[in-house]
Amino acid sequence: MTSTAVRGGLAALLALAVALPAGRAAADPEPPTPTATAAAPLPAAPAPAPGLVPGIPLTTDQPWHLDTPDQVLPPHMYRPSAAEDAIEPMPAPDGLDVLVEYVPPSEVRGAVTCTKKTGPYQRQVERWLGLKVDGKQSPADCRRIRAFQTKQGIRPNIGFAGPVTWTRMRTISARKNPNAAKKCPTRAYRLACVDLPRQLMWVSKGKKIVYGPVPIRSGRAGNRTRVGWHKIYWRHKNHWSSLYNSPMPYSQFFSGGQAFHGIYGNVYSPPGSRGCVNLRVSDAKRLWGVLERGDRVYVWGRKPGT
């Protein structure tokens, strides 16, 4: 079911958007109850990632290959019927969650075995692999990066230190103890932790990790995911954004129109969402079974590049 659009034009939309809450302090205040407001349509989102393209082009004849923009304003809330909740959102099509690196167009067109180009995460990848950290791509660097990409199933495995390769490394490092730096508070209740600098999220209960960590895609520059304490105030399994006419499966709203939800696209793709915390559909489905209405959310830091 779709949200009901508010009549009144772009001026009213912008005024409401300005009124959305800013970041909150790192305490446990009760977040304000969102108003049941929807929005008039806005222009389509700009094309992502100028200068970088997926290494393996996706077809454009299926809607789940499109970027999924997010709601800016709080959704129109209602109690879904049992019949609606019984319907499971469409699963991600086969191959959608394949790790596809974003690489320069010139590296896709030719038969490149090992790239000579320096990727945007060259230094981070060098440090993670224990290589000399100089931020310059060398044949030895490329061979080591390629070996990692091949093992992890990242395509194309040409040694380009792009966002997918670096995010995969961060996820692997966080598996054992995602909260090693103690950035997320420890609480006796369930707490969804959203790490914007590392683009990861998990759920803890006390010192135990009950979900994750999993990769996420948070808000882009100008639409950053709001930091601080929040609360899951509405869950809608089959949500559809009337603002952007886009599916938001397994939506769990925690701050205005910002929600955890799955996307039929690549969570590694730059530049980011319109504020929501995007997850792979399979991860969003598992998170739906972990969190409940009233559970707390803590968001900190800043997404790189925003």
Side-chain angles (χ1 to χ4, degrees):
M1 298 182 70
T2 61
S3 305
T4 304
V6 172
R7 303 182 185 276
L10 184 58
L13 172 65
L14 294 176
L16 286 168
V18 171
L20 285 175
R24 296 189 176 93
D28 288 26
E30 288 295 320
T33 301
T35 55
T37 310
L42 284 179
L52 294 179
V53 298
I56 300 174
L58 299 174
T59 61
T60 58
D61 59 346
Q62 301 177 41
W64 50 73
H65 286 156
L66 302 179
D67 192 36
T68 304
D70 308 313
Q71 297 244 4
V72 177
L73 301 177
H76 172 70
M77 292 185 292
Y78 69 99
R79 185 182 296 276
S81 66
E84 181 188 345
D85 273 347
I87 300 172
E88 288 295 325
M90 180 183 73
D94 291 341
L96 187 64
D97 288 338
V98 170
L99 299 174
V100 180
E101 185 58 274
Y102 280 70
V103 301
S106 60
E107 303 299 274
V108 180
R109 298 190 188 102
V112 177
T113 301
C114 198
T115 183
K116 297 179 181 179
K117 293 185 178 296
T118 299
Y121 296 95
Q122 185 74 28
R123 287 183 177 274
Q124 294 93 322
V125 168
E126 289 170 345
R127 185 175 293 109
W128 197 89
L129 290 173
L131 302 170
K132 178 183 177 181
V133 182
D134 58 8
K136 299 176 182 179
Q137 178 76 313
S138 69
D141 290 344
C142 189
R143 286 193 296 270
R144 288 288 302 279
I145 298 170
R146 282 195 70 206
F148 174 82
Q149 292 171 335
T150 301
K151 183 177 181 180
Q152 297 298 318
I154 298 172
R155 304 185 311 198
N157 57 338
I158 59 173
F160 185 79
V164 175
T165 300
W166 175 229
T167 300
R168 186 64 177 167
M169 290 177 171
R170 289 199 306 260
T171 304
I172 291 171
S173 295
R175 281 176 179 169
K176 186 174 182 180
N177 184 9
N179 201 30
K182 302 187 185 303
K183 297 289 187 179
C184 193
T186 300
R187 296 290 186 270
Y189 49 77
R190 279 190 304 272
L191 177 61
C193 303
V194 182
D195 185 335
L196 297 183
R198 291 191 295 172
Q199 291 291 280
L200 297 171
M201 73 86 54
W202 62 90
V203 179
S204 63
K205 186 174 183 181
K207 294 183 178 180
K208 184 179 180 180
I209 305 300
V210 297
Y211 170 88
V214 297
I216 62 168
R217 185 179 70 163
S218 67
R220 66 186 73 184
N223 299 103
R224 294 200 299 268
T225 303
R226 288 183 283 275
V227 300
W229 285 94
H230 310 285
K231 179 185 289 187
I232 301 292
Y233 70 85
W234 190 52
R235 292 171 16 114
H236 192 194
K237 184 187 292 184
N238 293 286
H239 193 74
W240 189 281
S241 167
S242 64
L243 182 62
Y244 294 104
N245 195 28
S246 298
M248 295 170 60
Y250 303 104
S251 286
Q252 302 192 67
F253 290 87
F254 58 83
S255 177
Q258 296 187 355
F260 297 112
H261 69 83
I263 59 169
Y264 298 105
N266 191 336
V267 297
Y268 303 106
S269 64
S273 74
R274 288 298 184 95
C276 283
V277 175
N278 296 163
L279 302 101
R280 294 172 295 195
V281 175
S282 57
D283 290 337
K285 182 177 182 178
R286 288 195 300 119
L287 185 63
W288 180 268
V290 172
L291 295 180
E292 298 177 0
R293 184 177 180 273
D295 281 344
R296 303 307 298 268
V297 178
Y298 183 69
V299 185
W300 72 92
R302 192 161 179 168
K303 182 182 186 293
T306 64

